[in-house]
Amino acid sequence: MGRPSRLGDEDRSDYGRALDEVIASPEIRLLLERSGVPGGRLRVRGLAAVARTTSAADAEYRRYAALRQRARGGRQDAGVSPLSGPGDQERPGAGVLAVLGVLTPVLAAVAAATFLLLGYGLRFAEALPALAGTLVGVGWFSLVVAAVAALVSVVALYRTAAKQSADGTASVPDRSPAVEDAREAWLAALRDRGIRPFLLQQLTEASPPPGPGDGHGSRFSSPAFAGPDFSGPDFSGPGFEGSGHRGSGRPAPDGSEPRR
């Protein structure tokens, strides 16, 4: 077999749902309770091992991806705008026009404010009336340019957004029954041969081994004190020095023999 197929971005949501279904199964829930591993941590491990678990259902995924691509007319990842790389986002001049559409209204508005302030300032000061009139005229013209450029930019932005929305909805056809069957077969193989064995292995490794104190009986018991002939400690030995105590072996103060 060749190298396993890399899971596409649009299929990661299906993988996440399949992972949640396996974690919610009674078998995995029971093992989670026994091992004490949180379900969220197990889910994170399953998401991190996506390359390992999906390789078990690589044949089903290849078939599903091929049928889906064929249903879309041979286009890969139709309806998904690329974030980088060749495509509509990198047409020659598209970036320059976008920059000009944003900067033109801003620069024109700044220029209009500057010229109007200078022109009316000179008028109020009654200095250089010819220059003041010119600055005021240029300022109002710049203000009109800023308004027109802003209006054009808003209309162009709205048309671009509407076009992309229409292309995204029209380029993704409804899944055919064959594609749906291939998708269900891939998800079933993914759950049974990929995700479930991986989670079982993780829970088995996380289960603590039985400790030495798990057996029956007290670990403090001693054979010397647990025998059937043991009745109590023997205080009749020669080392016992209790005065007048029963079984001490010493005579009582009155000279009588100790009781046995």
Side-chain angles (χ1 to χ4, degrees):
M1 293 181 59
R3 185 179 180 181
S5 301
R6 180 180 177 273
L7 191 65
D9 294 336
E10 60 181 320
D11 299 321
R12 292 185 178 272
S13 59
D14 288 337
Y15 178 85
R17 284 191 292 268
L19 177 62
D20 293 336
E21 292 176 3
V22 177
I23 294 177
S25 62
E27 179 185 12
I28 300 299
R29 299 304 302 179
L30 180 60
L31 292 177
L32 281 174
E33 295 177 0
R34 292 180 178 177
S35 62
V37 177
R41 183 183 304 175
L42 188 65
R43 189 177 191 275
V44 170
R45 292 181 182 179
L47 292 175
V50 60
R52 174 180 174 182
T53 54
T54 54
S55 62
D58 186 63
E60 289 79 4
Y61 181 71
R62 287 177 183 271
R63 180 174 179 273
Y64 166 53
L67 289 176
R68 182 176 58 187
Q69 184 177 357
R70 191 181 309 168
R72 293 175 176 177
R75 292 173 295 178
Q76 184 69 20
D77 296 336
V80 179
S81 299
L83 298 179
S84 62
D88 295 337
Q89 294 180 345
E90 295 188 1
R91 293 195 307 267
V96 176
L97 293 178
V99 172
L100 289 178
V102 174
L103 290 181
T104 300
V106 176
L107 295 178
V110 172
T114 302
F115 291 143
L116 289 176
L117 287 176
L118 290 176
Y120 282 112
L122 291 176
R123 281 188 178 182
F124 290 153
E126 297 181 355
L128 302 175
L131 179 60
T134 303
L135 291 176
V136 170
V138 174
W140 282 110
F141 176 78
S142 300
L143 188 61
V144 172
V145 171
V148 173
L151 181 62
V152 172
S153 299
V154 170
V155 173
L157 182 62
Y158 175 77
R159 290 186 59 187
T160 302
K163 181 179 179 181
Q164 290 182 354
S165 177
D167 292 343
T169 56
S171 59
V172 180
D174 294 336
R175 288 195 178 109
S176 62
V179 176
E180 282 294 332
D181 293 341
R183 176 174 173 269
E184 293 299 330
W186 167 60
L187 291 177
L190 180 64
R191 288 190 295 264
D192 297 337
R193 300 201 306 262
I195 298 177
R196 179 172 282 107
F198 173 77
L199 297 184
L200 291 177
Q201 179 183 359
Q202 294 295 315
L203 292 175
T204 302
E205 295 176 353
S207 299
D214 293 341
H216 298 284
S218 174
R219 59 179 179 178
F220 297 104
S221 62
S222 174
F225 294 94
D229 297 333
F230 176 76
S231 59
D234 186 10
F235 298 104
S236 61
F240 182 69
E241 299 295 337
S243 173
H245 196 278
R246 179 181 178 182
S248 62
R250 295 179 60 183
D254 55 358
S256 61
E257 291 293 328
R259 290 178 296 175
R260 298 282 181 182

